[in-house]
Amino acid sequence: TISVNINGEWIARGFPVKKIPQFLQVTLKPGTNTITFVGDNLGSIPPNTAVLEIIDGKKRKSFLLESVPGESNLLKIRYDVQGP
C-alpha cells in the first residue's frame, strides 16, 4: 500500500497498489503543488512500485515511483492558471 499527501494534506492512507488502474481525483492549487508518495510496505513483489499519471483534461504525464517503508517520493508540480 501507499499513502499520498498533497500540499501537507493526506488524501489517501493505506491505498492498495493493484495491477488495474485506480484513480484519485484531486484539485491542485495555482502555483507550486507538492505531492508526496510514501510506501507503507514492500508489497508482494518488492520494491513497492506505482505509476502516477497526471491528466489535466488535455495532456497526460506519467511518473514511475518506487518506494520502500521509511522512504518517500516527492514530486513538485507547477499549475499555471490560464486566463479566459
Side-chain angles (χ1 to χ4, degrees):
T1 62
I2 61 171
S3 294
V4 182
N5 183 300
I6 298 181
N7 299 323
E9 181 180 338
W10 291 102
I11 61 161
R13 288 187 176 239
F15 193 75
V17 175
K18 299 181 179 183
K19 290 184 180 183
I20 58 171
Q22 301 178 87
F23 299 91
L24 292 171
Q25 186 171 351
V26 300
T27 301
L28 299 177
K29 65 177 182 155
T32 302
N33 293 266
T34 302
I35 302 174
T36 306
F37 285 80
V38 179
D40 298 324
N41 55 41
L42 289 175
S44 59
I45 304 172
N48 192 342
T49 58
V51 174
L52 165 66
E53 185 172 61
I54 298 173
I55 305 168
D56 73 357
K58 297 177 186 173
K59 298 178 186 175
R60 291 177 176 231
K61 180 71 177 174
S62 296
F63 302 89
L64 176 64
L65 307 167
E66 288 188 0
S67 294
V68 295
E71 294 184 4
S72 60
N73 290 275
L74 180 92
L75 178 66
K76 289 192 175 189
I77 297 173
R78 179 155 181 83
Y79 173 50
D80 292 323
V81 179
Q82 300 295 324

